[in-house]
Amino acid sequence: MTSQTTVKTLLILGASGDLTGRLLLPGLARLVARDRATGLQLVGAGSDPWTPDQWLERVESAFADANSQADAAGKRELKRISETTSYRELDVTADGQLAALLGQLEAPVAVYFALPPHISQEACAVLTAAELPAGTRLVMEKPFGSSEESARHLNQTLGALVPEDHIHRVDHFLGKATVLNILGLRFANTFLEPVWNRNHIEKVEIIFDEDLALEGRARYYDGAGALRDMIQSHLLQIMALLAMEAPATLDERDLRDAVAVALRASSIKAPYAKNSRRARYTAGTLDGRKVPDYAKEKGVDESRNTETLAEVQVDIDNWRWQGVPFILRSGKALGGTRKEAVVTFRPVPHLPKGFTGVDSPNQLRIGFGPDTLQFDVDVNGPGNVLSLDRATLTAELSASDLLPYGEVLEGVLMGDPLLSVRADTAEDCWRILDPVIKAWNRDSVPLEEYAAGTAGPEGWPA
Ligand code: NDP
């Protein structure tokens, strides 16, 4: 079934940038190739004087992979987009230029700000609501602000331009399949809900460890670090999905309300030297490849003390979760990739005397990308029926046939803000982390070190 988009024109600002070439255009191509977005006009814009051919070459090379796998209808649609796409040169921060371009495009238009964050903010600040064609959608990349106050300020600027449900704050790690997989597991199984609380759960860990190092992204990453790059924008969202109350429907309002309620109850408490940790990688080996010291990487300013590994303990102060630590950790250049949420249940109150072997607490593991489920249980045997042994029940969860940015764009083009981070939530995620950022800026928490390719600093759990 083909899907006509609600949006008529996708305007990508930052057409020459890395995000556009590497992620946005391939994500769009897969979406179109699967017949899930038809009738769209694509316009690229940037401050460089690109020729139409330069832009077309970029679009066609980004479309090539999806085109080779598309059916006849998908190929036709990709061809139509290539034949009609255009490039416009403009300075988005100059008064009137962006507004004038918007006036020439077929409405409704989705404006994708694939720009450095400060440029996106300046571009929005020079726009007025009256200049925007009816139905305009604004798509903002991360990082969304740099503190609760700056996020609020940016929200006010955007809120003066379009209604909240026309603003898409992107968290491309939070795919639709992942969100629905968590909700399906939690709310379609009666046996889980009675134990999903402080009485039966000891702790919840949400871990996003990568074996990738900086990979030439110092310009963005050195100003962000692990805490802002992953925990602020992404892991708190996953935490909220694991912790929230059951929504009545999967509509954006019900779901985003439930996420917001969970986050409003969340905080990281002092002392921050106990409830947060940070570290930076030194030279090491990853997959047989030598990795230089982070501080010596091209484009890194050592004096910024940017962390490449961050961990925080979040408390959710409500009836369900009082006293249960939510440990959020993300890092780069680690010995292995590990992307999962681990729910550890409390030990049994009494193990009948006579059993031997180890009785370990049950653990439920939700893996992300590919999405999987693993449940660790103790069973008898094999061999001696009195001896307890660990068995893992596993299941593969639903996967998306879109690329992460295809999912983002599908929401934007179809006018569905379900996956977008809502204004209050964007501010709240900064409110949760602001005290930790301040403590780190005061050097109240030591910046530890770990060799690239290891499991992290000594003393941190693997
Ligand atoms: P780049 O620096 O690669 O690209 C930025 C783009 O902005 C360039 O095309 C540049 O065009 C354009 N630009 C800058 N100033 C102006 C201006 N005044 N008017 C018009 N265009 C302008 O950045 P990225 O693509 O890496 O990142 C873009 C955004 O996406 C950032 O917010 C980033 O945080 C976010 N992001 C990036 C990811 C990535 O993997 N790259 C992943 C997740 C988020 P020109 O060269 O012509 O000036």
Side-chain angles (χ1 to χ4, degrees), residues 48-366:
D48 287 338
W50 271 22
T51 62
D53 281 351
Q54 257 177 300
W55 170 241
L56 186 59
E57 197 185 312
R58 177 155 242 227
V59 171
E60 286 189 330
S61 85
F63 279 13
D65 192 37
N67 197 26
S68 66
Q69 295 165 27
D71 61 12
K75 280 191 199 308
R76 257 197 318 278
E77 197 54 23
L78 285 168
K79 185 157 177 273
R80 189 194 56 74
I81 293 182
S82 295
E83 284 170 355
T84 54
T85 190
S86 60
Y87 177 81
R88 310 296 178 93
E89 181 186 339
L90 87 169
D91 177 358
V92 293
T93 61
D95 244 344
Q97 287 198 20
L98 178 54
L101 171 58
L102 286 171
Q104 296 162 18
L105 303 177
E106 189 184 354
V109 182
V111 187
Y112 203 115
F113 291 86
L115 300 166
H118 69 282
I119 304 282
S120 301
Q121 289 179 34
E122 277 182 57
C124 292
V126 297
L127 285 173
T128 61
E131 294 167 329
L132 297 180
T136 299
R137 293 183 172 270
L138 304 176
V139 192
M140 307 301 292
E141 261 301 334
K142 73 172 189 182
F144 188 84
S146 53
S147 62
E148 184 184 6
E149 197 188 334
S150 62
R152 182 171 304 128
H153 183 70
L154 185 51
N155 278 333
Q156 281 162 356
T157 305
L158 297 173
L161 297 175
V162 297
E164 173 59 33
D165 63 2
H166 283 53
I167 302 169
H168 297 258
R169 296 172 195 80
V170 171
D171 170 11
H172 72 276
F173 286 102
L174 203 63
K176 197 168 189 168
T178 299
V179 172
L180 296 179
N181 283 337
I182 294 176
L183 298 181
L185 172 70
R186 283 201 54 200
F187 301 123
N189 296 291
T190 25
F191 81 95
L192 269 183
E193 182 54 23
V195 295
W196 205 256
N197 56 49
R198 65 189 302 278
N199 298 325
H200 298 278
I201 290 179
E202 190 153 281
K203 64 176 173 180
V204 178
E205 293 155 289
I206 302 170
I207 292 163
F208 251 69
D209 287 349
E210 314 184 278
D211 57 3
L212 289 176
L214 190 57
E215 318 294 332
R217 292 192 59 218
R219 192 153 63 133
Y220 162 69
Y221 193 82
D222 199 45
L227 187 70
R228 293 177 180 86
D229 181 46
M230 286 304 294
I231 295 181
Q232 192 278 337
S233 65
H234 179 51
L235 299 197
L236 283 170
Q237 300 290 324
I238 295 205
M239 183 195 83
L241 291 169
L242 288 169
M244 71 187 208
E245 299 304 315
T249 72
L250 296 177
D251 287 351
E252 61 86 12
R253 172 113 193 250
D254 281 344
L255 190 58
R256 298 199 299 173
D257 276 353
V259 163
V261 169
L263 288 169
R264 273 207 300 279
S266 305
S267 64
I268 300 168
K269 302 209 168 75
Y272 300 109
K274 175 171 167 281
N275 293 329
S276 75
R277 299 201 258 200
R278 58 176 176 153
R280 186 166 71 180
Y281 69 79
T282 55
T285 311
L286 275 176
D287 255 347
R289 198 164 43 92
K290 278 199 164 39
V291 174
D293 197 333
Y294 175 83
K296 303 282 179 291
E297 291 257 32
K298 192 163 165 260
V300 166
D301 176 355
E302 186 174 359
S303 67
R304 269 183 159 145
N305 281 345
T306 300
E307 79 288 351
T308 58
L309 175 63
E311 184 183 283
V312 292
Q313 177 184 317
V314 182
D315 291 323
I316 305 180
D317 291 319
N318 61 20
W319 191 292
R320 188 190 284 265
W321 294 116
Q322 185 61 47
V324 179
F326 282 73
I327 316 281
L328 277 46
R329 184 181 85 197
S330 181
K332 277 192 180 300
L334 290 156
T337 294
R338 187 175 161 211
K339 298 181 179 175
E340 62 176 359
V342 184
V343 179
T344 303
F345 290 86
R346 291 190 189 283
V348 292
H350 173 74
L351 184 69
K353 289 195 178 94
F355 276 123
T356 59
V358 182
D359 173 44
S360 315
N362 295 124
Q363 285 191 319
L364 185 68
R365 297 168 180 275
I366 305 168

